[in-house]
């Protein structure tokens, strides 16, 4: 379990990273500066998570996905189109993705706890906190 689910999470993170970067480049509107900066914070955080998850997979004896094709084949996150997009559309999309990621992370944590895999479980604790806060803040922004 831990390597397979963690590899799927790695794929989701990799696709989300590129999606956020796409939005960062193509955001349009009077709130451009704020949204542009926030998206950079999000994708930098996801980028750190990509490396961390891949290293955890290796630490527990697995082989993380490493190619863009593997990421796309195993991710449930949909890529963003290459087009101008408003902040409200971006926030709705990111909120949906972050909720999906949080749910996946919680499921990984439950299974890791059941298997006494504390390395994976403790890593998921950090992501639960991080995504819960981001979701709360996005909901406040959209409201």
């Amino acid at each position: 379990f831990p390597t397979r689910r963690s590899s799927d999470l790695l794929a989701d993170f990799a696709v989300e990273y590129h999606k956020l970067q796409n939005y960062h480049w193509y955001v349009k509107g009077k709130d451009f500066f704020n949204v542009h900066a926030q998206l950079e914070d999000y994708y930098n955080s996801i980028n750190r998570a990509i490396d961390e998850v891949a290293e955890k997979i290796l630490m527990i004896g697995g082989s993380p996905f490493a190619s863009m094709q593997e990421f796309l084949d195993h991710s449930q996150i949909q890529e963003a189109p290459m087009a101008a997009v408003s902040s409200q559309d971006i926030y709705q999309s990111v909120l949906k993705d972050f909720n999906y990621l949080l749910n996946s992370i919680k499921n990984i944590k439950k299974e890791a706890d059941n298997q006494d895999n504390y390395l994976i479980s403790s890593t998921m604790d950090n992501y639960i906190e991080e995504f819960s806060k981001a979701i709360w803040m996005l909901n406040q922004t959209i409201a």
Side-chain angles (χ1 to χ4, degrees), residues 1-11 52-65 104-105 107-124 127:
F1 139 75
T3 56
R4 182 60 188 180
R5 281 217 190 234
S6 297
S7 289
D8 289 345
L9 180 63
L10 176 64
E52 187 173 45
V53 169
E55 288 177 353
K56 296 296 191 264
I57 292 168
L58 290 164
M59 290 168 70
I60 60 173
S63 299
F65 300 136
S104 295
I105 290 162
N107 287 333
I108 291 169
K109 178 172 176 49
K110 282 181 198 172
E111 291 188 35
D113 283 344
N114 289 338
Q115 296 181 8
D116 296 331
N117 187 330
Y118 304 113
L119 181 66
I120 298 298
S121 177
S122 65
T123 301
M124 294 306 113
Y127 298 145

Side-chain angles (χ1 to χ4, degrees), residues 27-28 31 35 85-93 141-143:
V27 63
K28 298 287 184 206
D31 56 354
V35 178
V85 60
S86 73
S87 60
Q88 286 303 307
D89 289 342
I90 290 170
Y91 287 147
Q92 291 290 343
S93 175
T141 301
I142 292 170

Side-chain angles (χ1 to χ4, degrees), residues 32-43:
F32 169 85
F33 285 107
N34 291 334
V35 178
H36 186 76
Q38 183 59 57
L39 291 167
E40 186 172 356
D41 288 344
Y42 285 154
Y43 74 68

Side-chain angles (χ1 to χ4, degrees), residues 12-27 35-47 49-50 77-81 85 89-98 101 130-131 134 138:
D12 287 333
F13 278 167
V15 175
E16 185 67 15
Y17 169 83
H18 287 283
K19 184 176 190 175
L20 291 166
Q21 199 167 51
N22 181 326
Y23 285 153
H24 172 80
W25 294 333
Y26 284 99
V27 63
V35 178
H36 186 76
Q38 183 59 57
L39 291 167
E40 186 172 356
D41 288 344
Y42 285 154
Y43 74 68
N44 284 335
S45 178
I46 296 279
N47 190 39
I50 290 168
I77 302 289
Q78 298 298 307
E79 292 183 286
V85 60
D89 289 342
I90 290 170
Y91 287 147
Q92 291 290 343
S93 175
V94 172
L95 181 61
K96 178 183 172 209
D97 291 348
F98 282 13
L101 289 166
E130 191 174 322
F131 281 99
L138 284 164

